[in-house]
Structures are given as C-alpha cells and as structure tokens.
Amino acid sequence: MMALEIKGQAIPNIPWQDRPQGCDHVMWRYSANPVIPRDLLPTSNSIFNSAVVPYGRDGWEFAGVFRVDDTNRRMRIHPGFSHDGINWHIDESDVVLTGADPEIAAWEYGYDPRVAHIDDRYWVTWCNGYHGPTIGVAWTEDFRTFHQLENAFLPYNRNGVLFPRKINGRYAMLSRPSDTGHTAFGDIFYSESPDMEFWGHHRHVMAPARFEESAWQCMKIGAGPVPIETSEGWLLLYHGVLRSCNGYVYAFGSALLDLDRPWEVIARSAPYLISPREIYELTGDVPNVTFPCAALVDAPTGRMAVYYGCADTVTGMAFAKVDELVDWIRRNSIV
Ligand code: BMA
C-alpha cells in the first residue's frame, strides 16, 4: 500500500463500523441502514440526498443540511445536528436564507445540498429553483442563519460541489449543466471564482463512460461529496446513471483529479462502489437510487464515512479507508 497523505482535520469520533467479516468490497454499508427514516419529522415525506460536516459547537459534534421533501411534496433544505453523526435532530422548519436580492430570494425549491468548510465559513450549495434548476450558494457559521449569494450559474445546472479550499487563488466548483427535466445527459465541469459570485474559467472534467467500458456511468454523471484532498490528488466520489428497461439506475464510483488542475482526471473507477442492492435502495419514491452528497474523513486514520440518499426516500451510510480506495481506483481505472 502506498504512503498516502490526507489533507484534512482529525475527526476522532467519526461514525465508523469495521468492514464485515468475509466482505472484500472497498466500500461497505452500515449494518443499521438507513440512518435517517423518511418520517423523522411530522411533515416529512422523505429525507435523503443530504450533507454533513464536523461541527463542535453548541454541544453538537456534527451539523448538516438535509433534503426534506414534505407531505406537499415540496423540496426543501433543513438544518440538522447530531452528537454521533448517526442519530440526527433535524429542524422542523427549513433553512432561513437572508441577504439575497429579492429576485433570487423568492423560493421555488431547493434540493440536494452539499456543505464545504472553507476557512471559517460553511458554504452550502444546492440545486435552486430559478426558472429551472441552477446552483444556489449561501454561507453560514451557525447552521441557523444562511447568507445567500447570487446563483452561481445560469439555469440549467445541478450538482454544484465546492472544493474545500481555494485552488490557484480562486474558489473552485464542479457542476453539471442539465435541462429542465430528468436530464438524459450530463458531464462534470469545473469553474473558478474570485468572490463566490462571478464564475468562469470553465473546464471540462469528465463525460459519461463508454457503455462497453463502464455501463453504470454511461448516461450521465455528477459530482457527489466535497472532494477530499490527498497527496495523490483530489478524491472525488460521483454518481453515474445507467438507463435500464425499468428506468434510471443511480450508482456511485470515484475518481482522482489533479491537485492544481482539477479538470484533469488522473484515474477513474470502472466498477461502481455502491449500486442499488439493498431493499431500501431498491424501493422507495424513486426506486434504484444511491446518491452520495457528503463524506467525513478522519485524516490521521483515513476512515471515511459516506452519506447517501437511498431511493429518494431515506439516508444511508457507507464506509471505506481512503488509502485502500485510492489504490482501488488506480487498479481499476478506465483512464
Ligand atoms: C436527480 C435529482 C436527485 C435524485 C435523482 C433520482 O435528477 O433529482 O435528487 O436523487 O434525480 O431521482
């Protein structure tokens, strides 16, 4: 095994479960999945594609923003807090956004949030309704008040994911241009910004894979959790979609991106890490969906805990060791 350095903080209390006996997969599911049930709130229809970070404040150890679809089937984002990263206290009301131009602030819908801790702020990006889906941006220090900026891109765009630090002096974001519907295409692009408002320097990162090579990611792909910085490159988890005779199937895999030029792909896994298999991934409001939006990493041990939406209904967790994962990507790369 290579000596891999992980740039990030220690999370000694990271949620964790050892790889089960007899399992030889590089990533394994939490045995008590799902960790967040659909009806945790009195008015929730489903709680899934959600993002968490370490947060040692107000007596909590972790905080996050959660995709909560309510019983009107409106898509909303709610703050949540946890002592152990597994049992969550999610606010009944959705996030309070302040400071935006009223034109932008008019709330249509918000879903699939990600959170990046950059310097002393937690930056939230999400799929924000503004004449179609685009990328909303806000920052918070306390997960109570969220300061909203301009939308990052023109519609239509989804899966906006910030890097956890500036790259070459600018904020950096991955995103996936799309359409107004259930987009049947999609590549991952990279963009830079000096101020989190104006985005440019757009670069192509990855297209869907060739069907013959890696079918689970042959229709569209989109960035998942905030990338993890390692000495081998940025470790990216991303979802990929296959169109079966029964509809879309959402699995996820991973790639390594160049540290200084993250639009250059060093390696990319041909096999998936997780694909719908368990009953809570196979059945729900949208069957056959595993959709990662966050990963915690304890830098000293390389333990990684991934949060992923299951069948657009509940939230599950999976685990891996970062050094084993990087090694696995390199050994199974289609690049
Ligand atoms: C995508 C997004 C995700 C969802 C997925 C599967 O377009 O809406 O939130 O998990 O479809 O329905």
Side-chain angles (χ1 to χ4, degrees):
M1 194 77 55
M2 70 193 89
L4 181 83
E5 192 192 341
I6 302 166
K7 314 267 169 66
Q9 67 183 107
I11 313 176
N13 56 347
I14 189 169
W16 183 254
Q17 193 172 50
D18 285 331
R19 179 187 276 113
Q21 290 248 312
C23 167
D24 57 5
H25 295 156
V26 70
M27 182 172 285
W28 59 97
R29 291 167 175 84
Y30 182 45
S31 63
N33 272 351
V35 292
I36 304 176
R38 65 184 306 164
D39 54 358
L40 188 70
L41 302 181
T43 57
S44 59
N45 168 74
S46 43
I47 307 178
F48 53 113
N49 308 352
S50 301
V52 312
V53 286
Y55 179 75
R57 269 180 62 167
D58 309 326
W60 299 107
E61 298 293 326
F62 302 93
V65 282
F66 294 80
R67 172 168 174 177
V68 178
D69 291 7
D70 68 16
T71 47
N72 294 10
R73 292 300 297 265
R74 294 174 298 195
M75 301 181 282
R76 294 286 187 266
I77 296 170
H78 292 227
F81 302 90
S82 177
H83 296 296
D84 59 8
I86 293 175
N87 296 287
W88 287 91
H89 301 258
I90 298 178
D91 284 5
E92 283 189 35
S93 39
D94 49 333
V95 296
V96 179
L97 293 167
T98 63
D101 184 309
E103 167 79 10
I104 301 301
W107 186 258
E108 276 183 51
Y109 55 79
Y111 63 84
D112 295 0
R114 300 349 189 240
V115 186
H117 191 194
I118 308 176
D119 302 327
D120 55 355
R121 290 178 174 177
Y122 300 95
W123 289 90
V124 183
T125 52
W126 70 96
C127 183
N128 193 27
Y130 180 71
H131 303 275
T134 182
I135 307 302
V137 181
W139 62 269
T140 183
E141 285 168 333
D142 58 7
F143 286 85
R144 292 289 173 207
T145 305
F146 293 76
H147 305 267
Q148 189 179 7
L149 279 73
E150 290 292 311
N151 292 321
F153 303 115
L154 287 169
Y156 312 108
N157 203 312
R158 293 185 173 100
N159 299 302
V161 179
L162 287 165
F163 285 76
R165 64 164 172 82
K166 289 181 175 176
I167 297 172
N168 303 320
R170 298 207 183 97
Y171 294 107
M173 188 170 358
L174 300 170
S175 74
R176 213 279 303 289
S178 61
D179 64 13
T180 53
H182 300 295
T183 318
F185 60 89
D187 296 20
I188 298 176
F189 286 82
Y190 172 89
S191 306
E192 294 182 352
S193 172
D195 57 4
M196 282 280 189
E197 176 168 349
F198 297 98
W199 293 87
H201 198 92
H202 310 296
R203 293 288 180 273
H204 183 259
V205 180
M206 289 197 287
R210 289 190 301 121
F211 178 80
E212 315 83 78
E213 215 164 24
S214 182
W216 65 268
Q217 52 177 325
C218 72
M219 196 189 89
K220 59 176 169 176
I221 53 174
V226 167
I228 297 145
E229 186 172 5
T230 79
S231 49
E232 298 287 313
W234 292 103
L235 174 60
L236 174 71
L237 300 188
Y238 65 97
H239 66 263
V241 181
L242 160 81
R243 193 192 332 233
S244 80
C245 60
N246 207 26
Y248 290 179
V249 178
Y250 282 71
F252 62 93
S254 59
L256 278 176
L257 310 179
D258 185 83
L259 284 175
D260 299 321
R261 298 166 64 85
W263 54 93
E264 291 181 358
V265 180
I266 298 168
R268 172 179 178 182
S269 69
Y272 58 69
L273 286 169
I274 297 279
S275 181
R277 209 173 258 217
E278 300 295 328
I279 195 72
Y280 52 87
E281 299 162 347
L282 298 167
T283 69
D285 287 352
V286 182
N288 305 321
V289 180
T290 53
F291 196 99
C293 286
L296 301 172
V297 172
D298 175 40
T301 61
R303 289 178 168 185
M304 177 163 75
V306 178
Y307 294 79
Y308 67 103
C310 306
D312 284 11
T313 305
V314 295
T315 304
M317 293 183 70
F319 305 104
K321 293 285 298 296
V322 170
D323 56 351
E324 293 177 3
L325 180 52
V326 167
D327 189 52
W328 177 84
I329 300 167
R330 285 192 178 282
R331 281 189 287 108
N332 291 282
S333 180
I334 53 175
V335 173

